[in-house]
Structures are given as C-alpha cells and as structure tokens.
C-alpha cells in the first residue's frame, strides 16, 4: 500500500487531545454552551469557522456489490451519514466546538458518559468514516505478518478472533458497533472508566458499544469496526444480522486498513511512553535539585550556628 493511502486510512486516529495531551484536564473545563450570537459576530468579521465534511467512501458506491448494495450506500452514506454531518454542523456552529477537530469534539462531549448534545452526531460521523475505510472491494480473507501474530497471541487463533468479533456484533442489543481495538493502557482515563481495566496492556481486544459510542472515549485505538445499526444491513439482509456480519468478515474487511491502523496505534503508544519517561526523568531531576538545595541550606545553617558558638 502506498504511504499516502496508509496515512489516509490511519488518519481518523490523529487527534490533538489524544496524541499530545491525553484526556485529563481537557475534558474537565469544557462547558457546553450554544451561543448563536457569538457566531453572528464572528461571521460578520469574516472569520471562517471549522466545518465537518461529509467524506465519501474510498471507493464507488457500487464497488462492494453484491455484498453491500449501491442502494444500501445511497441510504447509509447518502442519507444517514449526511444527516449526522449536517446535524453536527448545526449543533456546533457558534460554539467553542466549531474550531475543534472531530475527535476532540467526541472526547469533549462524551463528558464522562453524561453525553452533551453534539456527541451522538459527532461520534456517528467518525464511526461511519472509519467503517467505510474498514472495507474494500475484494476484501475479507485473512491478515498476515505482525497483525496475524498479535491476533494469534491475543485470541488463540484467527478463527478465535473471528468468533469473538462475530459474537460481539451479533449480541450488541439494538443499535451499536463492534470493534477490534489496540488497548495500550489499563488505567482509567480522565474522560471515562476503562471497561477492560484488568486486561494486559498493549494487546488486541474486541469490544462492542451502544448507539454512537466508540472506543476513543476509553482511550483505545480502534483498528476495525462493523456498524450493526439496522440501517447498515436491512436493505440487503433484512433482519439477518448474522449473515451480514459473516459477509463483512469474509468478503469486505480491509486488512490493509487494519494493518495501517495497528502501526499508527503502536507508534502513538510508543510516543506516549517516551513522553511519560521524559516527564518522569524531568520530575526526578527537579526533585534531586530540591534535595541538594535543602541539604546545602541545612549545612549553611549548621555552619552559621557553629561560628556563632
Ligand atoms: Fe450506520
């Protein structure tokens, strides 16, 4: 895969809050406030506000036929995904969120699970972008290389992973999503309680999420997703969700995309580790300086006392 294509696939993982700051701090001070007047003032000064775009799938709308029909895409992307984008833009215009990235909007409005109004539309926009890029014409089959090695390590076998992923997608009650994620840490994040705190770090995990929730809010790195809202499969499979899930796994999954995302997730985890190590060293150096200064002051005081004697 060309580097630019790999970067494009991995791009949904790029997030200012995640990559440079983590969650803590950024979510605590945010207050949702719709302020149309502010927007009017900004517009009158000619300031351009950020706009979330409706990104097309990275293939034509009939490219996944016969497994996912053009008609499904015309509704799913052309109407549902478009509505999430349009509604989100209406919600954030004139607010503090209109200059944020989509990922930052998701994290800020998750609000520790007490969802703020734009969360559902923002997360659904991100989820659908990610879902389209999780598939490709001629997809399916089996991954290879390090991705397959990690799948074998963390699920016992590729078949073990497929069974767990299918079960998560089939048992998500009502609307939602199933995910393969790279879980880099086990600590609770500022924004949410980690749903898998006892698992090992740096491993692949399958999770499911209701409605619009996605694993970014748990500080996990998503690698693959399937949309199990009925609008994703009803035209092609009616109520046969298990058949849709099997078709997705066998004919549609883009393992190239998953591979690129895994590389990005590992790089992000390594960057964080380096940053944490740098902060720890800086703290220890500062502490050593303080200790040395205290010892110097104490010895100076002792010298003064002995001279006075
Ligand atoms: Fe959907």
């Amino acid at each position: 895969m060309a580097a630019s294509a790999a970067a494009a696939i991995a791009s949904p993982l790029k997030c200012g809050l995640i990559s440079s700051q983590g969650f803590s701090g950024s979510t605590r001070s945010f207050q949702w406030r719709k302020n149309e007047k502010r927007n009017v003032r900004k517009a009158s000064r000619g300031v351009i506000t950020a706009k979330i775009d409706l990104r097309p799938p990275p293939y034509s709308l009939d490219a996944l036929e016969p497994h996912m029909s053009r008609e499904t895409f015309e509704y799913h992307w052309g109407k549902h995904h478009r509505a999430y984008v349009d509604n989100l833009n209406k919600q954030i215009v004139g607010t503090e969120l209109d200059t944020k990235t989509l990922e930052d909007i998701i994290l800020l409005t998750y609000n520790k699970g007490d969802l703020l109004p734009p969360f559902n539309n923002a997360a659904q926009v991100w989820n659908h972008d990610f879902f389209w890029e999780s598939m490709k014409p001629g997809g399916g089959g089996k991954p290879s290389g390090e991705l397959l090695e990690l799948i074998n390590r963390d699920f016992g076998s590729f078949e073990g992973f497929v069974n767990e992923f299918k079960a998560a997608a089939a048992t998500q009650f009502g609307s939602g999503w199933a995910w393969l994620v790279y879980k880099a840490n086990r600590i609770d994040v500022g924004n949410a309680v980690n749903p898998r705190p006892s698992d090992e770090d740096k491993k692949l995990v399958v999770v499911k999420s209701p409605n619009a929730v996605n694993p970014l809010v748990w500080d996990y790195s998503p690698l693959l997703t399937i949309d199990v809202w009925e609008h994703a499969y009803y035209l092609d499979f009616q109520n046969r969700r298990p058949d849709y899930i099997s078709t997705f796994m066998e004919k549609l999954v883009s393992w190239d995309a998953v591979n690129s995302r895994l590389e990005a997730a590992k790089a992000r985890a390594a960057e964080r580790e380096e940053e944490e190590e740098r902060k720890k060293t800086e703290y220890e150096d500062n502490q050593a300086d303080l200790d040395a200064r205290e010892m110097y002051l104490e010895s100076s005081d002792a010298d003064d006392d002995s001279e006075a004697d």
Side-chain angles (χ1 to χ4, degrees):
M1 175 184 294
S4 58
I9 285 168
S11 63
L13 292 173
K14 287 180 184 169
C15 169
L17 284 177
I18 291 177
S19 59
S20 61
Q21 300 168 30
F23 292 93
S24 56
S26 304
T27 56
R28 290 193 187 109
S29 59
F30 180 72
Q31 303 247 318
W32 167 247
R33 184 163 48 91
K34 180 82 175 165
N35 187 348
E36 296 289 353
K37 285 182 183 170
R38 175 171 166 258
N39 181 59
V40 171
R41 283 203 304 276
K42 283 174 80 172
S44 66
R45 287 182 207 144
V47 176
I48 299 169
T49 54
K51 185 174 181 302
I52 304 300
D53 294 319
L54 174 67
R55 282 168 43 185
Y59 36 74
S60 63
L61 298 191
D62 58 3
L64 302 188
E65 290 190 334
H67 312 299
M68 191 172 283
S69 67
R70 181 184 182 91
E71 192 183 13
T72 286
F73 266 97
E74 283 171 350
Y75 278 93
H76 198 177
W77 175 73
K79 294 187 186 299
H80 290 280
H81 188 168
R82 184 184 302 277
Y84 297 130
V85 171
D86 291 346
N87 290 335
L88 176 62
N89 280 318
K90 283 180 200 157
Q91 284 176 307
I92 64 173
V93 70
T95 75
E96 286 178 54
L97 297 175
D98 68 3
T99 55
K100 305 285 187 194
T101 65
L102 181 58
E103 292 84 354
D104 286 352
I105 294 170
I106 291 168
L107 300 182
L108 289 164
T109 58
Y110 184 69
N111 193 35
K112 299 184 176 72
D114 185 13
L115 305 182
L116 298 175
F119 175 81
N120 284 329
N121 285 314
Q124 283 293 76
V125 174
W126 193 95
N127 294 349
H128 284 88
D129 286 340
F130 197 79
F131 178 53
W132 309 137
E133 290 168 357
S134 293
M135 300 182 287
K136 68 171 189 179
K142 205 170 170 179
S144 58
E146 190 188 2
L147 175 58
L148 182 59
E149 284 170 23
L150 291 184
I151 286 174
N152 287 335
R153 183 194 71 183
D154 295 336
F155 299 98
S157 63
F158 179 66
E159 290 66 34
F161 155 70
V162 170
N163 289 338
E164 194 170 330
F165 189 84
K166 281 182 173 179
T171 59
Q172 169 54 42
F173 184 75
S175 300
W177 301 79
W179 307 83
L180 171 67
V181 304
Y182 181 73
K183 176 181 171 297
N185 65 67
R186 76 180 78 181
I187 57 171
D188 284 348
V189 293
N191 199 36
V193 175
N194 185 341
R196 305 282 289 262
S198 60
D199 281 346
E200 294 288 316
D201 291 347
K202 297 180 184 170
K203 67 174 288 189
L204 303 182
V205 175
V206 166
V207 289
K208 55 187 175 181
S209 61
N211 302 316
V213 173
N214 71 39
L216 293 179
V217 304
W218 303 315
D219 201 19
Y220 296 169
S221 296
L223 304 180
L224 173 69
T225 194
I226 181 170
D227 184 345
V228 294
W229 286 57
E230 265 191 359
H231 67 219
Y233 58 88
Y234 205 83
L235 289 174
D236 293 331
F237 296 89
Q238 292 76 52
N239 63 342
R240 292 176 283 117
R241 190 194 283 190
D243 290 350
Y244 158 65
I245 297 166
S246 293
T247 301
F248 173 85
M249 293 305 296
E250 289 159 22
K251 307 290 185 186
L252 296 174
V253 170
S254 169
W255 290 111
D256 294 337
V258 180
N259 234 344
S260 300
R261 291 161 174 171
L262 175 64
E263 288 305 312
K266 282 166 45 195
R268 177 182 152 229
E271 258 176 47
R272 278 187 168 190
E273 271 187 355
E274 277 174 27
E275 178 66 11
E276 280 164 20
E277 194 56 38
R278 191 190 62 71
K279 281 183 183 166
K280 190 176 156 204
T281 306
E282 197 176 279
Y283 173 81
E284 286 170 353
D285 288 349
N286 285 341
Q287 207 58 38
D289 283 350
L290 280 173
D291 291 346
R293 204 169 300 158
E294 272 179 27
M295 280 175 65
Y296 172 77
L297 289 173
E298 279 171 15
S299 67
S300 297
D301 286 347
D303 288 347
D304 289 347
D305 288 347
S306 65
E307 278 172 25
D309 291 341

